[in-house]
Amino acid sequence: MISYKELGLVNSRELFAKAIKGGYAIPAFNFNNMEQMQAIVAACVETKSPVILQVSSGARKYANQTLLRYMAQGAVEYAKELGVNIPIVLHLDHGDSFELCKSCIEMGFSSVMIDGSHLPYEENVKLTKQVVDYAHKYDVTVEGELGVLAGIEDDVSAEEHVYTQPDEVEDFVSRTGVDSLAISIGTSHGAFKFKPGQDPKIRLDILKEIEERIPGFPIVLHGSSSVPQDIVAQINKYGGKLKDSIGIPEEQLRKAASSAVCKVNIDSDGRLAMTGAIRKVMAEKPEEFDPRKYLGPARDALKELYKHKVLNVLGSNDKI
Ligand code: G3H
Ligand code: 13P
Ligand code: ZN
């Protein structure tokens, strides 16, 4: 058993309390490899933002849980080397079992999500409480979820949103003891959220009702990529074949971030930024075969994207 505290990581409790008071949200960026991790840390150091490094089940399969944990430990040291000791949370994204959450906690994660949102309500309560009871012994924070997002999460996909029912949140939060709650109010996972011409709207009215039922409680938004149109155009210009799609407007995310929403999950926009930069190098310099020559520009593009999210969408800059 390794405590995250020995690794220089923090849990999310204090970060969320400050974010709610200050009217901003902490970025939760997924990572699977070194370049993504470097870009996240460099962007958050430059903007002096706390950050949540997220590991999904897919990331664990791709990169290995042990390596990712050591990379997060490395991230703490890397931030110090870059000159700013930013608070870093290592978080399990969409944990689907007690055993997985337990294994992450034992290996140094400071925060876990137990996603029982696909289960019947009482089963979700039972599973979430089991994880909370274990996690809290080690001062690890837990995110639960109520309501189902449309789109694809790992191997589970839902055609339609099942919005979070405000009349369930108080009971869920008090019976499980979770530290934060992910809700479904119209965001969705992946790069294909809405067709151009559609008018994407986060249900801020449901968010408001939820806030009234559990005042001051930390709320989490998944599926919050905005699918930047210039990056989609860049990918397609250099040989990509992405179908037209739009994401969650940044203006709406800004509004949500100024409320009790204190964690915003962004993964797909990073995938797009990396792909756009790599395609450009591949198309313009077909003679290149040194991975650093295309992964380096991908890392630069990612860093710019993350800085933009911190400064212009979430407002978490200068909050360390
Ligand atoms: O919620 C899903 C995240 O974007 C992680 O995606 O499971 O493909 O790593 P992944
Ligand atoms: P996006 O696919 O919108 O980036 O959402 C990521 C997410 O919610 C990770 O849990
Ligand atoms: Zn998610």
Side-chain angles (χ1 to χ4, degrees):
M1 169 93 200
I2 302 144
S3 166
Y4 67 87
K5 294 178 188 179
E6 292 165 44
L7 310 180
L9 298 161
V10 297
N11 70 21
S12 61
R13 194 168 292 123
E14 202 185 314
L15 301 187
F16 288 171
K18 280 167 77 177
I20 291 184
K21 267 202 194 135
Y24 60 92
I26 314 285
F29 298 132
N30 291 70
F31 81 113
N32 300 265
N33 63 42
M34 182 189 75
E35 282 77 9
Q36 290 169 329
M37 188 277 275
Q38 289 173 317
I40 296 169
V41 173
C44 292
V45 160
E46 282 183 28
T47 54
K48 298 196 172 59
S49 170
V51 70
I52 298 171
L53 289 172
Q54 295 203 137
V55 172
S56 70
S57 296
R60 290 175 62 253
K61 278 183 215 138
Y62 175 78
N64 179 281
Q65 175 172 311
T66 309
L67 278 177
L68 290 171
R69 195 279 276 172
Y70 278 101
M71 277 167 72
Q73 185 176 359
V76 173
E77 299 309 317
Y78 181 49
K80 282 187 208 158
E81 212 175 292
L82 292 177
V84 192
N85 192 4
I86 54 170
I88 300 180
V89 176
L90 177 61
H91 176 77
L92 170 67
D93 193 22
H94 294 285
D96 60 357
S97 68
F98 172 76
E99 289 70 28
L100 173 55
C101 292
K102 181 171 180 280
S103 136
C104 288
I105 291 165
E106 286 172 353
M107 137 155 309
F109 281 57
S110 59
S111 175
V112 292
M113 174 186 194
I114 177 70
D115 182 357
S117 62
H118 301 279
L119 299 171
Y121 181 78
E122 284 302 325
E123 283 178 43
N124 188 0
V125 169
K126 194 171 161 216
L127 177 62
T128 306
K129 183 171 169 13
Q130 188 190 11
V131 172
V132 169
D133 288 346
Y134 183 79
H136 282 183
K137 281 192 219 160
Y138 303 100
D139 203 18
V140 167
T141 39
V142 180
E143 175 183 325
E145 179 165 341
L146 269 181
V148 182
L149 272 68
I152 298 167
E153 290 167 25
D154 283 327
D155 303 327
V156 187
S157 78
E159 293 273 311
E160 299 281 343
H161 303 282
V162 180
Y163 293 121
T164 306
Q165 292 176 31
D167 60 2
E168 283 182 349
V169 296
E170 212 178 330
D171 182 73
F172 186 81
V173 160
S174 67
R175 282 173 64 199
T176 58
V178 277
D179 302 281
S180 61
L181 181 68
I183 59 169
S184 170
I185 53 169
T187 61
S188 56
H189 289 105
F192 308 106
K193 300 184 196 298
F194 303 96
K195 295 193 181 85
Q198 279 186 304
D199 185 17
K201 280 217 165 59
I202 313 186
R203 292 287 302 270
L204 295 170
D205 55 320
I206 301 181
L207 172 61
K208 190 159 173 274
E209 243 192 279
I210 290 171
E211 279 190 74
E212 279 163 10
R213 301 215 184 216
I214 43 173
F217 193 81
I219 301 295
V220 177
L221 273 195
H222 283 246
S224 298
S225 279
S226 297
V227 190
Q229 296 298 292
D230 55 332
I231 299 178
V232 173
Q234 183 187 18
I235 291 173
N236 288 342
K237 176 179 168 189
Y238 293 111
K241 280 205 174 94
L242 289 184
K243 56 181 192 233
D244 281 343
S245 153
I246 54 174
I248 310 296
E250 291 187 338
E251 183 50 36
Q252 292 185 35
L253 292 168
R254 262 193 293 273
K255 272 198 194 124
S258 67
S259 72
V261 168
C262 56
K263 171 174 179 272
V264 170
N265 288 9
I266 297 171
D267 185 6
S268 299
D269 282 356
R271 297 179 184 197
L272 293 169
M274 265 193 115
T275 303
I278 290 172
R279 278 203 174 277
K280 185 169 189 291
V281 177
M282 295 288 184
E284 288 179 344
K285 297 179 186 161
E287 71 285 359
E288 264 316 337
F289 64 97
D290 178 345
R292 292 170 296 190
K293 295 286 167 33
Y294 47 87
L295 292 178
R299 185 173 60 190
D300 294 343
L302 265 181
K303 184 175 145 192
E304 281 316 300
L305 175 91
Y306 293 139
K307 281 175 72 174
H308 165 71
K309 298 289 180 187
V310 165
L311 293 168
N312 305 320
V313 185
L314 307 179
S316 59
N317 50 299
D318 301 308
K319 302 295 190 307
I320 56 171

